[in-house]
Amino acid sequence: QLFHEMAESRVERSSITCSAAVSACEKGGQWVQALKLFRELTVNRVERNTITYNAAVSACEKGQQWVCALQLFREMTNMRVER
């Protein structure tokens, strides 16, 4: 829904705007929603990069989801995302 609302409001879908959305979820204690948004990036043609991965890992950390954070870090390494 967020991506639909962004399009309607003519907000550019970029790694920066999407990372801000993921970070907002993290700060609100909504780590599940943050990861859902992160997973939707590829579907919505937004590049996953250091900024987006960092936001997702931070959301896992806030939610004490250490296994998930490590999985994201491994994924980042496997995808050869610059650190």
Side-chain angles (χ1 to χ4, degrees), residues 8-40:
E8 282 185 350
S9 300
R10 296 190 176 148
V11 174
E12 180 185 357
R13 292 182 203 172
S14 70
S15 60
I16 294 169
T17 56
C18 292
S19 292
V22 172
S23 292
C25 291
E26 173 222 329
K27 287 177 183 23
Q30 301 296 315
W31 69 269
V32 174
Q33 183 65 29
L35 289 180
K36 182 178 176 188
L37 286 173
F38 176 77
R39 295 290 178 207
E40 291 176 1

Side-chain angles (χ1 to χ4, degrees), residues 70-82:
L70 288 172
Q71 288 172 340
L72 286 170
F73 186 74
R74 276 190 219 111
E75 180 182 308
M76 185 179 175
T77 302
N78 291 340
M79 299 295 288
R80 295 192 166 112
V81 175
E82 284 190 45

Side-chain angles (χ1 to χ4, degrees), residues 2-3 6 9-10 15 19 26 33 42 44 50-51 53 57 59 61-63 65-67 72-73 75-78 81:
L2 176 65
F3 291 105
M6 288 174 78
S9 300
R10 296 190 176 148
S15 60
S19 292
E26 173 222 329
Q33 183 65 29
T42 304
N44 287 283
T50 304
I51 298 166
Y53 272 99
V57 169
E61 182 266 329
K62 285 277 185 171
Q65 303 300 311
W66 310 115
V67 172
L72 286 170
F73 186 74
E75 180 182 308
M76 185 179 175
T77 302
N78 291 340
V81 175

